[in-house]
Amino acid sequence: MAKVLCVLYDDPVTGYPQSYARDSVPIIKTYPGGQTLPTPRSIDFKAGQLLGSVSGELGLRKFLESLGHQLVVTSDKDGPNSRLEKELADTDIIISQPFWPAYLTEERFAKAPKLKLAITAGIGSDHIDLQAAIKHGVTVAEVSYSNSISVSEHVVMMILSLVRNYIPSYQWVIKGGWNIADCVQRSYDLEGMDVGTVAAGRIGLAVLRRLKAFDVKLHYTDRYRLSPEIEKELNLTFHTDVESMVKVCDVVTINCPLHPETEHMFDDRMIAKMKRGAYIINTARGKICDRDAIARALESGQLAGYAGDVWFPQPAPQNHIWRTMPHHGMTPHVSGTSLSAQARYAAGTREILECWFEGRPIREEYLIVDKGHLAGAGAHSYSTGNATSGWEEATKFRTGTR
Ligand code: NDP
C-alpha cells in the first residue's frame, strides 16, 4: 500500500468555507484543440468547492483510503524541521501544486528512497529538480491544460489593469478621493498597441485569441511556429527570437515554462532592448525575470508597469522587492487555482493516480519525466536540468502551516 504525501496551501484565515459565492461552475466539455478533460472513473467532490487547500485535500481521501493507501496532507513544506521533510523517508507518491510548491531538490530525493511518482496538481513542474527526478527514476506528471484558460484570463485582466491604471484608481476610491487627474496621468487605451507573447503554447495562444478583440497588433515568438491558418486568423507577426519581438512591443506577456533555457531571460540586457514605457505581464514563472532588474526598470521608467502572479521563491518573503516596487500589479500565485480550475486539476490528479495504481499508462500530455528521461509534454517543452536553486529563501515566509 502506498503513502501519498500531499502538500497544499493553507485554508482561508476565516476557516474552510461553509458556503460559496456561486452555486455552480460551468461544465467545460473539451479544451481548445480537442484535448479531453480529465476522465477519472469517479470523483468525490463537487466542482466549485475549495479543493486546493489543506482541508480540501484535492478530494482524494475517500478514494485513496478505500484502496488502503495512506494520505498525509500538509502545508508545512519548507525548512529542515518541516512536516514534508519528516514524512519523506517512507513516502511513495508526492503531490504538490505550483501555487505553494513543495520544492523537490536532489537532497530531498535522496531522503525519499521509496519515492516513485511526483504529481503536479496544476501545470509547471519547475519546482522539481527534473535532473534529479531522472537520476532517481521518479516519474513526474502534471495536469496539462487544466488551468491554461484560467491563466489566460488573468493575463488579459492584468494587461488591462496596468495599461488603464486600474489599481491606483481603485485605491483612490477606497481612500475617499475623486482624483481624476491622479488616476489618468498613467492611463492609456490598449487599442492600437503592439502586444507580444513569449511562447504561444496553450496559454500564450489563448491570450492571443482573447486579445484579438481589442484591435491590437499581435506578435509572438516560440521554438515552433504556429500553423499558417492560425497566423492568418489572428494576423500574427512571428519573431524568431525574443529580442526582436520585445523591441517592437508595448506589452509583453510571458507564457513559456521555466527551465534552464528561460531562467532570467528578462534581465537588464533584455529589458534595455524594450521600448521605454513598455509593460511586462508574467504569469509563467517568477524566475524567468531577474527580480532586481525588474524593480530597477520600474524605478527608472524603462518599464511603465509589471504584473503577474508568479514569484521566486514561493511563498515570497515579506521583504520581496516585488511587493513594494512602483507601478506593479502583483497577486500571489492564484491565476491557475480559481475554483473552476481546481475541479479540473483535482480530477486530473485522480486520473493520474488511478492509472498509476492500475498499471495503466498516464496520458502522454501529462508526462514530464518517465523511465529516466524527459517524456511526453516534458520532452516537448522543457530542457533537462534544475531551476530550483535559491528555493531555501521560501523558509523566510512563516504562516500558520500545519
Ligand atoms: P505549453 O506547454 O502549452 O506551452 C509552453 C510553450 O512554451 C510551448 O509552446 C513551448 O515551445 C514554449 N517554450 C518553451 N521554451 C521556450 C523558449 N525558450 N522560448 C520560447 N518558447 C518556449 O504550456 P502552457 O501554455 O499550458 O503553460 C506555460 C507555462 O505557464 C507553464 O509551464 C507554467 O510555468 C505557467 N503556468 C502558470 C500558471 C499560473 O497559475 N500562473 C498555471 C499554468 C501554467 P514548444 O513546446 O513548442 O517547444
Side-chain angles (χ1 to χ4, degrees):
M1 289 300 110
K3 172 167 160 185
V4 181
L5 176 58
C6 192
V7 179
L8 300 176
Y9 45 80
D10 285 314
D11 287 347
V13 289
T14 48
Y16 192 73
Q18 300 302 312
S19 64
Y20 291 89
R22 295 179 54 79
D23 296 328
S24 63
V25 292
I27 305 297
I28 308 298
K29 295 226 164 64
T30 51
Y31 296 121
Q35 183 180 317
T36 54
L37 272 87
T39 50
R41 295 193 194 284
S42 63
I43 52 169
D44 300 314
F45 59 82
K46 186 170 177 287
Q49 291 174 337
L50 181 60
L51 300 165
S53 75
V54 170
S55 296
E57 300 184 323
L58 295 176
L60 292 173
R61 184 166 296 278
K62 189 172 160 205
F63 158 66
L64 288 171
E65 291 184 347
S66 71
L67 295 176
H69 302 303
Q70 182 192 359
L71 175 65
V72 175
V73 183
T74 184
S75 64
D76 186 13
K77 68 185 186 72
D78 297 312
N81 297 319
S82 61
R83 178 93 188 267
L84 164 65
E85 290 267 346
K86 289 178 187 153
E87 299 287 348
L88 280 176
D90 58 348
T91 287
D92 301 277
I93 297 173
I94 287 191
I95 303 170
S96 173
Q97 305 181 96
F99 323 106
W100 186 257
Y103 292 103
L104 287 186
T105 57
E106 168 62 45
E107 296 73 30
R108 284 182 164 176
F109 277 110
K111 288 179 187 167
K114 293 181 71 186
L115 187 64
K116 284 284 167 289
L117 174 65
I119 303 175
T120 302
I123 305 173
S125 298
D126 48 275
H127 57 284
I128 301 173
D129 178 343
L130 297 181
Q131 195 65 52
I134 288 169
K135 181 179 144 195
H136 291 271
V138 174
T139 296
V140 180
E142 60 184 45
V143 191
S144 65
Y145 236 138
S146 58
N147 55 16
S148 304
I149 301 303
S150 324
V151 178
S152 71
E153 291 185 2
H154 208 81
V155 173
V156 174
M157 173 185 83
M158 287 186 148
I159 292 175
L160 288 170
S161 71
L162 284 187
V163 173
R164 302 205 56 90
N165 209 33
Y166 168 60
I167 297 169
S169 307
Y170 174 78
Q171 284 162 344
W172 276 113
V173 171
I174 304 291
K175 285 186 281 193
W178 195 258
N179 299 45
I180 311 290
D182 290 284
C183 298
V184 301
Q185 64 177 333
R186 296 183 68 87
S187 173
Y188 299 89
D189 291 351
L190 182 61
E191 183 184 25
M193 287 191 175
D194 287 87
V195 184
T197 174
V198 179
R202 296 179 178 98
I203 297 174
L205 181 56
V207 170
L208 292 169
R209 286 197 190 288
R210 278 153 184 75
L211 286 177
K212 186 173 189 307
F214 286 91
D215 289 331
V216 291
K217 287 165 244 159
L218 292 171
H219 303 254
Y220 80 102
T221 181
D222 200 304
R223 299 196 297 195
Y224 297 91
R225 212 162 159 168
L226 293 166
S227 70
E229 293 75 36
I230 295 179
E231 287 195 353
K232 191 164 168 229
E233 176 201 332
L234 300 175
N235 196 18
L236 299 178
T237 303
F238 173 71
H239 298 261
T240 49
D241 53 67
V242 182
E243 285 85 351
S244 69
M245 188 185 81
V246 301
K247 272 183 198 162
V248 298
C249 285
D250 303 287
V251 180
V252 172
T253 155
I254 303 173
N255 298 297
C256 57
L258 168 64
H259 53 111
E261 207 177 284
T262 61
E263 188 168 342
H264 293 153
M265 181 188 266
F266 280 79
D267 55 7
D268 287 314
R269 200 188 53 86
M270 182 70 80
I271 295 169
K273 291 184 195 295
M274 300 179 74
K275 285 187 183 179
R276 192 192 80 84
Y279 305 86
I280 293 179
I281 285 73
N282 176 15
T283 54
R285 284 297 177 260
K287 235 190 188 186
I288 297 171
C289 294
D290 177 321
R291 177 197 310 206
D292 295 326
I294 294 292
R296 275 193 291 274
L298 289 168
E299 291 284 354
S300 73
Q302 173 60 12
L303 287 178
Y306 181 92
D309 68 329
V310 286
W311 308 64
F312 188 82
Q314 290 187 180
Q318 268 85 10
N319 65 355
H320 194 295
I321 196 165
W322 288 4
R323 291 182 187 269
T324 49
M325 63 191 180
H327 313 306
H328 80 78
M330 296 300 295
T331 62
H333 194 163
V334 293
S335 66
T337 186
S338 58
L339 294 176
S340 324
Q342 289 174 38
R344 293 186 292 268
Y345 70 65
T349 302
R350 171 131 175 199
E351 177 189 321
I352 292 167
L353 287 167
E354 287 179 358
C355 289
W356 184 261
F357 292 133
E358 293 168 21
R360 288 187 284 129
I362 296 168
R363 297 186 198 202
E364 277 290 298
E365 64 255 36
Y366 288 174
L367 284 176
I368 302 299
V369 170
D370 195 32
K371 301 184 176 65
H373 299 283
L374 287 177
H380 195 70
S381 295
Y382 287 80
S383 55
T384 45
N386 173 25
T388 65
S389 66
W391 73 276
E392 298 85 352
E393 205 187 345
T395 53
K396 287 190 190 165
F397 185 91
R398 289 276 180 247
T399 182
T401 50
R402 53 174 163 152

